[in-house]
Amino acid sequence: MGAKVVDNKMMLMPTDLAEGMGVFLEVMPGLSVFLIDMSFKKPVAIDRVPQDDQFIAYYDLGEEITTHVLGTTPHRAGYSSRLGMAFMDSCIPTSLLPPINARSYSLRLIISKDLLKSLARPNYPNSVTEQLFDSSQNTLYFYSHIDSRSKILLNQLKSRKIKDGSFEFHLKHTALYLLAYLIERAANFEPIINRVTDREGSAIKQSADYIMANLDKDFVGISLLAEMAGMSVSKYKLLFKKILKSTPKQFYINERLLLAQKLLQSPQFDSLSQVAYELGYNSPRYFINSYVNKFNTYPVLKNSK
């Protein structure tokens, strides 16, 4: 794209293509970080060349929707889509299609498989660890929300100017903490040993997008979702839980209640009943009970007196 590399770490785009810059740093042996903070003026595709010896953890804090292409299937990422974090084996090809005339802010941790394996080993029996990192048996791969601790770190970094003298220190600091939080979070995941192809990963993510696009309707059911993904019900349920760390029905319930949090902040609703009916709940009382069970607090409208 005609970018200029400065000091082997700063990437400056041609001014007619984008404003802002990218930064690449080695944080420690086996861990590097790549930050993109740009506003693109023209459509571009940023492709990542697949590698066999790395994992990628991707965080998106852009102002508008960034399209994340897994294989050949586009997926939305960022604030508007609720799923702003991805982790995957870097042998899976991906591309990013940033929005035009909006700030794109994304960070990638590039983690060597040897480093991650050594960090993950205390969390699992040795036999499980060997299977998890055996690419012939398993693909480490998941999509999720950015956890609250990571989001705080990323927002603090986002508020800093890249040209500040201390920015590299803060970027490395952020990368190390993000890796630590990622290891802690992954330790709570049930290890599911299964190979995932590019097509299967795309199909599962596409079905999750479908669920999130229809949160105001009743859950469509596992059979239909599996059929949409081109899988048997048993395989679909297994791969969905591997990638999204939840059953499809629980994912639907959680996303519905997370959407409720946003609706409660909107001035267009005057009562909890309106929010409940907007989300497709037949009973406001059932909505309230579900919300309390999820968040351990009573739902409150922003414009309530």
Side-chain angles (χ1 to χ4, degrees), residues 18-300:
E19 296 179 354
M21 62 184 66
V23 184
F24 177 87
L25 295 173
E26 182 184 50
V27 180
M28 58 180 281
L31 175 66
S32 297
V33 60
F34 181 40
L35 175 72
I36 290 180
D37 186 2
M38 299 180 187
S39 177
F40 288 87
K41 302 175 182 179
K42 299 177 181 178
V44 300
I46 303 174
D47 299 328
R48 179 176 52 76
V49 178
Q51 302 286 333
D52 291 330
D53 59 347
Q54 299 169 344
F55 294 109
I56 303 291
Y58 169 81
Y59 303 84
D60 189 284
L61 286 176
E63 295 176 350
E64 298 292 341
I65 294 172
T66 295
T67 302
H68 180 206
V69 181
L70 173 63
T72 59
T73 304
H75 305 292
R76 301 190 306 174
Y79 279 132
S80 298
S81 70
R82 298 178 294 280
L83 292 181
M85 188 267 177
F87 174 86
M88 65 186 67
D89 194 313
S90 64
C91 68
I92 299 173
T94 59
S95 300
L96 292 178
L97 309 179
I100 308 302
N101 297 322
R103 187 181 183 186
S104 293
Y105 196 92
S106 61
L107 182 147
R108 295 159 187 75
L109 298 180
I110 300 126
I111 313 161
S112 77
K113 291 185 176 180
D114 287 341
L115 174 62
L116 191 63
K117 184 176 180 179
S118 67
L119 294 173
R121 192 176 294 279
N123 297 321
Y124 304 106
N126 189 60
S127 59
V128 174
T129 303
E130 292 302 319
Q131 283 186 296
L132 283 173
F133 288 88
D134 183 347
S135 58
S136 67
Q137 300 184 60
N138 187 49
T139 307
L140 284 178
Y141 178 15
F142 68 88
Y143 277 91
S144 187
H145 299 276
I146 302 176
D147 63 279
S148 58
R149 293 186 301 175
S150 296
K151 186 169 286 188
I152 289 171
L153 276 174
L154 289 163
N155 280 323
Q156 289 173 343
L157 185 70
K158 189 177 180 181
S159 68
R160 298 182 181 277
K161 297 184 182 299
I162 290 179
K163 293 182 179 180
D164 288 348
S166 62
F167 183 80
E168 288 188 21
F169 171 81
H170 290 290
L171 180 55
K172 291 182 178 181
H173 166 271
T174 300
L176 286 167
Y177 271 94
L178 288 175
L179 178 60
Y181 297 157
L182 177 64
I183 296 299
E184 288 181 20
R185 192 175 184 188
N188 296 319
F189 292 159
E190 175 188 354
I192 299 175
I193 311 298
N194 202 290
R195 287 282 298 155
V196 181
T197 67
D198 296 349
R199 190 205 67 79
E200 290 169 343
S202 293
I204 293 294
K205 183 59 173 63
Q206 199 166 26
S207 74
D209 289 343
Y210 178 84
I211 292 172
M212 289 192 292
N214 292 277
L215 295 174
D216 58 338
K217 302 178 180 65
D218 291 337
F219 182 64
V220 296
I222 301 293
S223 297
L224 179 59
L225 290 169
E227 182 180 347
M228 290 170 54
M231 301 177 192
S232 67
V233 169
S234 58
K235 184 171 186 178
Y236 176 79
K237 289 167 63 176
L238 177 69
L239 294 187
F240 193 99
K241 190 167 186 180
K242 178 180 179 66
I243 295 173
L244 277 303
K245 305 306 177 189
S246 173
T247 67
K249 183 63 177 292
Q250 193 60 52
F251 179 81
Y252 164 79
I253 293 171
N254 288 340
E255 292 300 320
R256 204 181 193 192
L257 291 170
L258 287 170
L259 177 57
Q261 282 189 318
K262 292 189 175 183
L263 297 186
L264 290 168
Q265 298 300 308
S266 172
Q268 71 182 90
F269 298 102
D270 298 319
S271 69
L272 294 181
S273 294
Q274 288 182 356
V275 174
Y277 293 136
E278 178 72 14
L279 288 169
Y281 285 91
N282 294 321
S283 165
R285 173 55 56 188
Y286 181 73
F287 160 67
I288 293 170
N289 289 340
S290 299
Y291 191 96
V292 171
N293 288 335
K294 169 68 176 175
F295 300 113
N296 200 32
T297 186
Y298 193 85
V300 178

